[in-house]
Amino acid sequence: MSSVLSFIRQPIVVALVLIVLLLYLGELLSPGFASAAQILRLMIVASLLGIVAAGQNVVILGGREGIDLSVGGVVSLSAIIAGNVMQGADIGIVPAIAACLVAGAFFGLLNGLGVTLLRIPPLVMTLGMLGVLQGLLVVIRMGIPSGQAAPALSRFVTQPLFFGVPGIIWLWAVIGIVMALMLSRTVFGHRIYAIGSNEHAAYMAGVPVRLMRIALFMISGMFAAIAGLCLLGYSGSSFANVGEQYTLTSIIAVVFGGTSLAGGKGGYTGTMAGAFLLVILQGILTTVNIDESGRQMVFGATLLTLMMFYGRGRAMRA
C-alpha cells in the first residue's frame, strides 16, 4: 500500500492525472477542446514551452538557487535574429539556426561568467541580463515586427511531418529522449546532479564546478534560442516581447515536473508533462475569456501552490 501511495504522489503522475481532468473540463466548457486536432495544436504550443523549459531544467538541477530569468529575452532576440536572417527565404534557415545558437550561447556564457566569476546570485544576474536584452530589443526594432519566417520553417512547426504529427513535436520528443539519456547515462548528467546536491562535495570529488555551471547557462541560452527560432515559424513574424511569456511558465513547468528548486533532484520527463499541463490550463483560461493579466495571476498562484507541496527544496524533503 505504501508503495502505491508513493507512486500516486509522484509529480509526473499528478501532472498526468491533472492533464486528463483539465482536458475533460475543457471539453465541458467548449465542445471539441479535447479533440485530436485541438490536442495536436496544444502539443505544438507545449513543444515551444517545453524546449525553453529544457534549458531551465538543467540550470535548476545544478542548484545554488539557479534560475534563468533571461530565457524570455533570449527567445525574443532569437526570433528577431532568425527573421532578419531568413527574410522569408528557405535558403536563410541554416544561417539563422547558426546565428540563433551563437546568440543563445553568448548570453548564456555571460550569465555563467557573472554567476561563477563575479559571484552574482543567479536570480540577480539573469534578471539583469533580461533587462539588457529587453533594452537591446527596443533599440533594434522599437517593438515593430521584424523579418519573416521561411516557408519551410513554418511548415516544420505547424504542418504534419510524419504520421500526421508536426516536426516541432518530433523535435521535442527527440530533445526529451536526449535529455533523459544525458541526465541518467552520462558523466555530464551525473555531475549536474552532484553539484546540485552538494556543490562543495562535488568540487572535492574533482568536478569542475565553475565550468559546469557556465555550461548549464549556455545550454539554457541555446535551448531558448531554438525555441525562439521555432516560435518565429509558428507565428510567421517576430515582435520585441514575443518571448516574455516563457520566463515564468518555464519555471512552473520544471517545478510541476518534480524538479526541486534547490537542485539535485528531478528530471526532464516530468517537465514535459508540466509544459503540456500549463498549455492546457492556458487554453481553458482563454476559453473562459481570462485576459493576459489574469492568466499571469493564475500562473503565479500555481507556482506558489507547487512550492508549498514539493518545490521548497531539501529542507522540505527532510
Side-chain angles (χ1 to χ4, degrees):
M1 179 62 70
S2 61
S3 61
V4 173
L5 292 175
S6 177
F7 174 77
I8 293 175
R9 285 197 296 263
Q10 289 184 14
I12 187 172
V13 176
V14 175
L16 292 175
V17 171
L18 288 176
I19 285 173
V20 174
L21 292 177
L22 285 178
L23 285 173
Y24 180 72
L25 175 61
E27 184 67 22
L28 291 178
L29 294 172
S30 176
F33 185 88
S35 66
Q38 177 64 10
I39 289 176
L40 205 59
R41 285 191 289 268
L42 291 172
M43 288 189 68
I44 292 175
V45 179
S47 298
L48 298 169
L49 172 58
I51 293 172
V52 180
Q56 191 77 261
N57 209 154
V58 295
V59 170
I60 292 176
L61 278 175
R64 201 175 152 192
E65 306 301 326
I67 291 179
D68 189 351
L69 297 178
S70 68
V71 291
V74 175
V75 170
S76 298
L77 180 64
S78 298
I80 288 179
I81 290 174
N84 279 277
V85 172
M86 290 181 194
Q87 290 297 341
D90 290 344
I91 195 173
I93 291 180
V94 174
I97 293 174
C100 289
L101 290 176
V102 169
F106 174 73
F107 286 104
L109 174 64
L110 293 182
N111 281 330
L113 291 175
V115 170
T116 57
L117 298 184
L118 301 180
R119 308 295 293 179
I120 301 174
L123 283 173
V124 177
M125 181 66 211
T126 57
L127 182 60
M129 186 59 67
L130 175 61
V132 170
L133 288 166
Q134 289 175 335
L136 181 61
L137 291 169
V138 172
V139 170
I140 292 174
R141 286 293 171 181
M142 301 297 292
I144 301 174
S146 175
Q148 295 294 322
L153 177 64
S154 295
R155 289 195 299 271
F156 176 80
V157 175
T158 61
Q159 300 299 316
L161 182 63
F162 299 116
F163 307 107
V165 178
I168 182 67
I169 299 177
W170 288 110
L171 174 61
W172 190 29
V174 170
I175 288 174
I177 293 171
V178 171
M179 284 284 291
L181 292 175
M182 184 269 289
L183 291 173
S184 63
R185 302 292 181 86
T186 68
V187 173
F188 185 80
H190 296 162
R191 285 178 172 179
I192 294 175
Y193 285 109
I195 65 174
S197 298
N198 191 318
E199 181 176 326
H200 179 71
Y203 176 78
M204 296 301 294
V207 176
V209 175
R210 288 187 175 183
L211 290 178
M212 283 290 300
R213 203 168 297 284
I214 291 173
L216 296 183
F217 278 103
M218 291 181 68
I219 291 172
S220 179
M222 293 172 72
F223 272 123
I226 294 172
L229 178 72
C230 294
L231 184 59
L232 174 69
Y234 181 74
S235 62
S237 61
S238 59
F239 297 83
N241 61 348
V242 70
E244 66 179 11
Q245 59 184 311
Y246 294 105
T247 300
L248 178 60
T249 52
S250 65
I251 298 171
I252 297 175
V254 172
V255 177
F256 224 135
T259 297
S260 169
L261 285 177
K265 180 181 180 181
Y268 184 61
T269 305
T271 297
M272 296 178 75
F276 188 41
L277 174 63
L278 284 179
V279 169
I280 296 173
L281 176 60
Q282 186 175 30
I284 291 176
L285 294 176
T286 302
T287 299
V288 296
N289 296 320
I290 302 296
D291 60 16
E292 178 61 26
S293 60
R295 291 197 293 268
Q296 291 298 319
M297 291 174 63
V298 171
F299 290 149
T302 300
L303 179 59
L304 292 175
T305 302
L306 292 173
M307 291 288 291
M308 290 173 59
F309 281 99
Y310 50 75
R312 293 173 56 191
R314 279 184 288 273
M316 186 174 184
R317 294 200 300 270

